[in-house]
């Protein structure tokens, strides 16, 4: 039975993927700087090995034969997803994969050193190499997949999404936000004239911030028997479903940016931990692209953790652990619902955040197609930041084009997923309210079990057995519709 051969191969690839994931987590969390060269070499060799195994010529024959065998629905879904992944993998040679992984790891390590120094000039040669490799990857993929170069890159993160459709949605969203943000800022000013923004007395010890984060992660349903929380330069959720590794970064002068980062990554972690376990080696049981992944992190952070009901249960814990005194829910909401034009994407509020994503989406399209040279990114970035958010990043590289880890690590085509995910999360919340009428009351008690049951049944358990549009249609009753996100923003910031 040919399917048995694919099943065995999937188990071997899962084992190598596990090793790659853990080496990647360790590189970001624990590895000393001096270990970088050999770590890059090790990870590039593993990537090449996995690629060679997954793209061997006979595998195409296995897939074709398996499609004719008498399989059950789950097996057919596994073959279909393996075929999609196989076609995408065979776009690239194992030699190219090794070269690209090595370059990306080295560039990311250099980025960590040079971002703090605001040193664009020393970073540029390595970044130019990454962009050149991304262009080569895009060309190779475009030829096989019969897509445009940028669409071929987006396909790796959000299968089925196309830049023309994304651009249409983003153009409408830009137009909406152009009018909405000034309105939100005016409404915020009026609220503050009656209830001034209250400063929280710091410093906040990292140990206490972590303790609060762990407490809220546990309440949200994160399984610490299969995961942990660490510190890194850039917050992320990595590892594997049976061993989810989350990170954050702390500031001692305030606690909310780290806490919201933890809750955001918790959404990613819950998704990974609740994917189907029994057949975790099949590609069909893995997360369905980054837009769906971001919908889960933004559902946890924006739809749940920034609600007044969330702070009814969380504020007493924050008072106890951090020593917050005379702080009310309204005081906290004034911070977590703050609208403010800023430089940093990961610190942006949900109203201005889409503009950060759209800026990157527009620039990386130009980079991948070669219409924009790597050396000219700071100028393009500054022009769009000035136009969209009224802020100049001229000469401020660390808060401009050097602020994200994505491009140094070679992830071009990823950014649209963030805002698509925010839209999906808003639509999912409306569906949750229909299915769990007392969801808000449950949140106020710190009980997320009913909401998590809905998420598991409608999102997490579906994994990659269905397309993103079909998962959304089955879960919410209709395809992705931006009206829910816009209504959510109006309700939260103008209501």
């Amino acid at each position: 039975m040919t399917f048995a051969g694919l099943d065995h191969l999937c188990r071997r690839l899962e084992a190598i993927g596990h090793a790659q994931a853990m080496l990647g987590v360790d590189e970001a969390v624990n590895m000393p700087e001096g270990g970088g060269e050999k770590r890059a070499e090790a990870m590039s060799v593993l990537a090449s090995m996995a690629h060679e195994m997954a793209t061997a010529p006979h595998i195409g024959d296995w897939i074709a034969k398996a499609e004719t065998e008498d399989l059950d629905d789950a097996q057919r879904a596994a073959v279909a997803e393996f075929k999609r992944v196989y076609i995408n993998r065979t776009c690239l040679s194992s030699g190219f994969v090794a070269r690209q992984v090595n370059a990306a790891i080295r560039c990311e390590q250099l980025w960590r050193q040079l971002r703090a120094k605001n040193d664009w000039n020393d970073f540029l040669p390595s970044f130019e190499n990454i962009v050149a490799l991304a262009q080569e990857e895009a060309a190779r993929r475009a030829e096989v997949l019969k897509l445009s170069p940028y669409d071929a890159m987006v396909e790796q993160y959000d299968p089925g999404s196309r830049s023309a459709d994304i651009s249409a949605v983003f153009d409408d969203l830009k137009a909406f936000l152009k009018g909405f943000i000034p309105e939100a800022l005016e409404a915020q000013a009026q609220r503050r004239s009656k209830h001034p923004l209250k400063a929280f007395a710091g410093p906040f010890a990292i140990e206490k911030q972590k303790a609060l984060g762990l407490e809220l992660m546990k309440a949200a349903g994160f399984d610490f028997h299969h995961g942990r929380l660490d510190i890194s330069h850039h917050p992320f959720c990595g590892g594997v479903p049976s061993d989810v590794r989350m990170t954050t970064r702390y500031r001692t002068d305030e606690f909310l940016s780290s806490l919201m980062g933890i809750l955001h990554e918790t959404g990613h972690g819950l998704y990974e931990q609740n994917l189907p376990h029994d057949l975790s080696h099949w590609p069909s049981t893995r997360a369905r692209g980054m837009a769906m992944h971001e919908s889960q992190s933004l559902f946890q952070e924006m739809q749940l953790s920034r609600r007044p009901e969330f702070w009814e249960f969380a504020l007493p814990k924050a008072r106890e652990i951090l020593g917050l005194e005379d702080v009310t829910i309204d005081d906290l909401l004034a911070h977590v619902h703050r609208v403010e034009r800023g430089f940093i994407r990961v610190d942006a509020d949900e109203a201005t955040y889409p503009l950060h994503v759209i800026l990157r989406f527009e620039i990386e399209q130009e980079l991948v197609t070669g219409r924009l040279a790597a050396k000219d990114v700071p100028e393009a970035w500054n022009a769009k930041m000035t136009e969209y958010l009224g802020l100049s990043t001229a000469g401020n590289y660390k808060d401009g084009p050097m602020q994200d880890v994505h491009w140094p690590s070679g992830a071009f085509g990823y950014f649209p997923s963030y805002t698509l995910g925010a839209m999906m999360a808003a639509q999912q919340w409306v569906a949750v309210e229909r299915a769990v009428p007392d969801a808000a009351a449950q949140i106020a008690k710190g009980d997320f079990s009913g909401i998590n049951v809905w998420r598991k049944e409608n999102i997490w358990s579906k994994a990659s057995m269905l397309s993103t549009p079909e998962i959304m249609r089955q879960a919410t009753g209709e395809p992705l519709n931006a009206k829910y996100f816009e209504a959510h923003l109006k309700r939260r910031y103008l209501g």
Side-chain angles (χ1 to χ4, degrees):
M1 184 177 181
T2 309
F3 182 82
L6 290 175
D7 182 77
H8 179 66
L9 175 63
C10 286
R11 289 189 185 278
R12 296 181 69 197
L13 291 173
E14 181 189 36
I16 294 178
H18 189 141
Q20 289 175 293
M22 290 308 165
L23 282 173
V25 169
D26 180 77
E27 189 266 344
V29 175
N30 295 313
M31 189 193 75
E33 288 185 10
E37 183 174 351
K38 285 297 182 181
R39 180 60 55 87
E41 180 181 329
M43 292 182 72
S44 66
V45 168
L46 281 175
S48 179
M49 285 173 54
H51 190 79
E52 288 176 1
M53 289 171 58
T55 60
H58 64 272
I59 294 174
D61 295 333
W62 284 7
I63 293 171
K65 291 177 181 177
E67 289 178 317
T68 68
E69 294 176 344
D70 184 18
L71 307 177
D72 61 31
D73 290 344
Q75 290 172 326
R76 279 193 293 272
V79 172
E81 183 63 9
F82 192 93
K83 182 177 182 178
R84 186 192 70 78
V85 173
Y86 174 76
I87 292 171
N88 277 273
R89 279 173 169 158
T90 54
C91 294
L92 308 178
S93 68
S94 58
F96 176 82
V97 170
R99 181 159 52 97
Q100 189 179 45
V101 169
N102 192 302
I105 292 172
R106 292 175 186 275
C107 186
E108 185 178 336
Q109 291 167 356
L110 187 66
W111 166 79
R112 290 193 196 122
Q113 298 173 31
L114 298 182
R115 184 198 171 202
K117 300 176 183 178
N118 198 42
D119 189 347
W120 172 260
N121 288 335
D122 284 347
F123 175 68
L124 180 58
S126 183
F127 181 55
E128 287 177 325
N129 184 39
I130 292 296
V131 171
L133 287 166
Q135 292 170 344
E136 184 178 351
E137 177 187 354
R140 289 171 181 251
R141 293 192 183 282
E143 181 179 1
V144 175
L145 301 177
K146 308 304 179 187
L147 296 172
S148 71
Y150 185 69
D151 281 347
M153 299 296 272
V154 171
E155 178 72 10
Q156 308 313 303
Y157 300 101
D158 192 18
S161 286
R162 300 292 177 258
S163 57
D165 298 329
I166 297 171
S167 292
V169 171
F170 282 2
D171 286 345
D172 289 344
L173 186 57
K174 269 198 301 186
F176 166 75
L177 293 174
K178 182 178 180 180
F180 173 76
I181 290 174
E183 288 183 55
L185 288 169
E186 175 59 29
Q188 178 174 265
Q190 292 181 11
R191 288 194 298 271
R192 288 187 182 176
S193 67
K194 301 173 184 177
H195 190 112
L197 190 67
K198 184 173 185 175
F200 301 146
F204 300 99
I206 289 175
E207 294 78 9
K208 292 184 177 181
Q209 290 190 59
K210 182 174 182 179
L212 177 60
L214 294 174
E215 187 77 15
L216 298 184
M217 286 170 66
K218 181 180 179 182
F222 187 83
D223 177 7
F224 286 99
H225 187 63
H226 292 99
R228 57 177 289 126
L229 175 68
D230 290 296
I231 298 174
S232 68
H233 289 270
H234 192 94
F236 69 86
C237 177
V240 296
S242 60
D243 187 1
V244 173
R245 304 301 181 92
M246 285 174 36
T247 71
T248 190
R249 56 190 179 196
Y250 296 99
R251 292 170 46 181
T252 56
D253 61 319
E254 57 90 22
F255 69 93
L256 280 172
S257 63
S258 174
L259 183 60
M260 287 297 127
I262 288 172
L263 292 167
H264 177 97
E265 300 303 335
T266 297
H268 285 304
L270 288 172
Y271 187 18
E272 289 290 327
Q273 289 183 339
N274 286 277
L275 292 169
H277 286 175
D278 294 344
L279 300 168
S280 62
H281 59 294
W282 287 0
S284 53
T285 64
R286 293 175 190 152
R288 173 77 288 172
M290 291 315 303
M292 186 61 74
H293 231 307
E294 291 301 330
S295 78
Q296 296 313 289
S297 60
L298 292 168
F299 186 96
Q300 192 70 41
E301 179 192 357
M302 299 300 182
Q303 298 301 323
L304 300 184
S305 302
R306 294 180 187 261
R307 297 180 61 83
E309 294 88 353
F310 178 87
W311 289 100
E312 285 185 38
F313 110 89
L315 180 55
K317 296 181 182 298
R319 286 181 179 137
E320 177 185 354
I321 295 172
L322 298 181
L324 295 177
E325 297 179 2
D326 302 323
V327 174
T328 67
I329 291 177
D330 286 340
D331 292 332
L332 267 166
L333 291 178
H335 283 272
V336 300
H337 290 175
R338 184 192 310 202
V339 177
E340 185 176 10
R341 297 183 177 98
F343 293 105
I344 306 300
R345 175 186 61 85
V346 296
D347 293 337
D349 59 84
E350 60 183 329
T352 61
Y353 190 100
L355 296 176
H356 289 269
V357 169
I358 292 169
L359 176 154
R360 289 154 173 79
F361 167 68
E362 293 172 347
I363 288 178
E364 69 179 11
Q365 286 184 81
E366 301 290 302
L367 282 171
V368 168
T369 58
R371 294 192 296 265
L372 178 69
K375 66 181 178 62
D376 296 325
V377 167
E379 182 179 355
W381 188 289
N382 180 53
K384 290 182 182 294
M385 278 293 288
T386 302
E387 178 185 356
Y388 298 166
L389 290 166
L391 300 171
S392 173
T393 55
N396 182 7
Y397 308 111
K398 65 181 178 62
D399 294 334
M402 290 183 74
Q403 69 177 266
D404 296 301
V405 71
H406 302 64
W407 291 347
S409 65
F412 292 85
Y414 188 123
F415 279 116
S417 302
Y418 287 112
T419 289
L420 294 173
M423 294 178 177
M424 291 163 65
Q427 188 166 327
Q428 289 166 20
W429 172 251
V430 173
V432 167
E433 286 187 306
R434 289 197 300 265
V436 189
D438 65 336
Q442 291 182 22
I443 294 170
K445 298 175 183 177
D447 180 6
F448 297 89
S449 58
I451 294 170
N452 285 349
V453 166
W454 184 94
R455 296 171 77 185
K456 186 165 187 175
E457 290 178 353
N458 292 279
I459 306 294
W460 299 338
S461 66
K462 306 300 183 183
S464 286
M465 289 176 273
L466 300 172
S467 68
T468 296
E470 184 59 20
I471 292 173
M472 286 296 293
R473 190 193 67 77
Q474 290 188 14
T476 71
E478 61 181 299
L480 180 62
N481 190 330
K483 72 178 184 181
Y484 294 104
F485 181 63
E486 294 179 4
H488 161 71
L489 293 180
K490 289 178 181 179
R491 185 166 54 250
R492 175 165 287 178
Y493 298 100
L494 300 182

